[in-house]
Amino acid sequence: IASSDEDGAVEICVRRQPGGYCSGLLHGLQPGDCVEGFIQPHPDFRPAAGRHPVILIGAGTGVAPLIGFVRKNLNQRPLHLYWGGRDPQGDFLYGRELETYLAEGRLSGLRLAFSQGLEPRYVQDRLREDAQQLSLLLQQGAQVLVCGSREMAAGVRAVIEPMLQALGESLEQLRVQGRYREDVY
C-alpha cells in the first residue's frame, strides 16, 4: 500500500505474475469495479519521529510503503532509498515520481539495483558498495526500514550486521531501539 490514512483512497502496487490469479484479477479491474479485501495493519513499520536519517530498503512491490514515506517527507528529512527490481525498462516502479522527489529534496539518495539489467545487481550489492556512507548514517542514529521478500530481507541483514558489528552494535540492538524494522512476505 502506497497511500496513507489521510489520502482518502487506497493505492496498491501489484506486480502482475504470469498465471497469478490475484494479480491478474487486480490488473483487470476497471474504474468503478469493486473488490473485497482487508488491510493487515503494521503500525510499527514507519519512520520514527525526529530528524534522524532513514534508510529505506525494498525490492519489487516492496517499494509501495517506502514511496508513501517519501511522499509525506515535506520537511525534507534525510531519506535514502535502496530499491531493486528485475528489469530497468519495465520494472522501475514509481521511477518518474522518485526522480521528482530527488529534485525536490524529499529524497536524499536513490540507489537502484536491477537483477536483469546490463550490470545485474541486487539491493544487497548496492548496500555493500555504500558501506562507508551507510556506516556514517548508522552512527548518526539512522533508522532502517526493509520491505519486500523474505529472501531479500535476509540478504540485507547479512550485509548490515557486519557494518553494525564494526560500530560496536548489533541488529538486535537496533530492533530493540526501533531503528531496524521489516515488513516482509
Side-chain angles (χ1 to χ4, degrees), residues 87-155:
D87 176 16
Q89 301 305 314
D91 288 334
F92 190 8
L93 304 173
Y94 299 100
R96 288 190 182 123
E97 193 171 341
L98 288 169
E99 296 294 339
T100 299
Y101 294 148
L102 270 171
E104 292 175 354
R106 290 188 205 192
L107 189 57
S108 305
L110 175 62
R111 294 286 280 153
L112 303 172
F114 293 99
S115 60
Q116 298 175 3
L118 294 174
E119 295 181 40
R121 295 266 191 292
Y122 295 94
V123 289
Q124 301 91 309
D125 298 320
R126 294 296 187 206
L127 295 171
R128 273 188 211 92
E129 292 168 8
D130 294 351
Q132 188 173 9
Q133 178 190 3
L134 291 171
S135 291
L136 289 173
L137 292 171
L138 290 166
Q139 287 174 333
Q140 295 169 12
Q143 180 184 19
V144 180
L145 298 172
V146 181
C147 189
S149 73
R150 292 185 192 282
E151 287 179 343
M152 181 272 307

Side-chain angles (χ1 to χ4, degrees), residues 12-13 97 116-117 156:
I12 61 174
C13 180
E97 193 171 341
Q116 298 175 3
V156 167

Side-chain angles (χ1 to χ4, degrees), residues 13 45 57-67 81 83-84 93 146-149 152 183 185:
C13 180
F45 190 76
I57 304 168
T61 57
V63 74
L66 307 180
I67 193 85
L81 175 60
W83 181 77
L93 304 173
V146 181
C147 189
S149 73
M152 181 272 307
D183 187 5
Y185 42 87

